Amino acid sequence: MRVDNQTGIGNLCEVARHILNTMPVNAATKFAVRTVLREAVNKSNPEYKGNNNRKNCRHASACAVALLGDAQAALVSDHAIPLSLLLEEVYDRPGIMLEELVGLVGKYSVMVLITKAEDARLAQAGLKKKMPGGWDGQDALARYRHVGIELRTNPLFQPIGC
């Protein structure tokens, strides 16, 4: 039975909580929690309909926007705040409540569409799975600014009600 995205996010977060609270932490359970929370983050875009990275990202680099008309252009859907940080937060909060987890998922739901070359720039700067040093914990787009990637609103992103 299909459910709306908000219900799906809650269900996925409850699955993650169940695993965290009832099973030993090992490679298998970490994989399961990561997979479930990644999907919850993806569903945080009310228009999420599967892995269509051109429409699921609120922000896009100027270079990615220029390539949107090219259906063959290889663009990358990037989590603005790496999911590895979400997982660190989750494992640092034993017994996390469902509402807290849903709130964290929302914080980590900012997606950015970038080119493969821009993705490589983030990796070269050591920012593939972490935020820049001195990150304030709030500016979700800090990694892109740090490496000089100019961002815009993705013209294909359509939040609910638009």
Side-chain angles (χ1 to χ4, degrees):
M1 171 171 100
R2 292 186 68 83
V3 297
D4 62 272
N5 284 357
Q6 198 58 41
T7 301
I9 292 165
N11 291 345
L12 290 164
C13 288
E14 191 58 50
V15 168
R17 272 181 22 87
H18 176 74
I19 293 168
L20 290 164
N21 292 332
T22 64
M23 301 184 78
V25 176
N26 58 41
T29 56
K30 283 184 172 183
F31 173 79
V33 168
R34 182 177 58 247
T35 301
V36 167
L37 291 180
R38 176 182 301 276
E39 185 63 12
V41 166
N42 289 342
K43 282 184 173 294
S44 290
N45 169 4
E47 296 300 311
Y48 179 72
K49 300 286 191 249
N51 191 20
N52 183 338
N53 66 4
R54 292 177 187 231
K55 292 183 179 177
N56 291 333
C57 297
R58 179 176 300 274
H59 305 281
S61 71
C63 293
V65 169
L67 294 172
L68 285 175
D70 179 359
Q72 301 305 313
L75 300 175
V76 176
S77 179
D78 189 50
H79 295 272
I81 305 172
L83 287 183
S84 58
L85 297 180
L86 168 62
L87 296 170
E88 285 177 20
E89 275 198 67
V90 167
Y91 283 109
D92 285 346
R93 297 182 188 193
I96 190 168
M97 301 301 291
L98 179 61
E99 299 77 23
E100 277 183 281
L101 188 51
V102 169
L104 281 176
V105 162
K107 174 182 174 182
Y108 286 84
S109 67
V110 178
M111 302 292 292
V112 179
L113 189 62
I114 57 177
T115 66
K116 288 212 178 238
E118 290 166 332
D119 191 46
R121 283 171 51 196
L122 289 171
Q124 287 174 326
L127 298 176
K128 193 73 176 151
K129 293 187 177 189
K130 65 181 188 175
M131 297 301 281
W135 180 53
D136 65 5
Q138 300 300 313
D139 180 10
L141 305 176
R143 291 188 309 140
Y144 309 100
R145 285 190 243 297
H146 187 80
V147 297
I149 296 173
E150 180 187 345
L151 295 180
R152 301 186 173 154
T153 299
N154 179 357
L156 296 181
F157 180 77
Q158 302 223 338
I160 203 153
C162 294

